[in-house]
Amino acid sequence: MSNPDRIIRLKTVLDRTGLSRSTLYRKMADGTFPDKVRISIHGAGWHESAVNRWIANPAMYREDRVGSAGR
């Protein structure tokens, strides 16, 4: 049974997307890749459903950021 809202870690995200670590973080800063979710003091991951939406259409993905200046 697959849970699309599970949290996946960095290595899995990089493997599934084919992005480099620096490109992933640049896209997050640009709002063109889902933001990470804090899961502990030193740990973070991504919602698998959000990564799947990005994989389905990376050119059209835009992160909705409430209160972001200049958007």
Side-chain angles (χ1 to χ4, degrees), residues 43-60:
W46 285 260
H47 285 285
E48 186 174 30
S49 59
V51 174
N52 287 340
R53 282 194 306 276
W54 183 88
I55 290 170
N57 195 354
M60 295 302 293

Side-chain angles (χ1 to χ4, degrees), residues 8-16 21 24-25 44-46:
I8 56 177
R9 300 297 299 264
L10 178 63
K11 183 179 182 329
T12 303
V13 172
L14 297 178
D15 289 344
R16 293 197 50 205
R21 183 183 193 129
L24 174 75
Y25 283 104
W46 285 260

Side-chain angles (χ1 to χ4, degrees), residues 1 4 10 22 25 30 34 41 50 53 56 60 62 70:
M1 176 170 32
L10 178 63
S22 59
Y25 283 104
D30 292 344
I41 293 173
R53 282 194 306 276
M60 295 302 293
R62 225 34 216 164

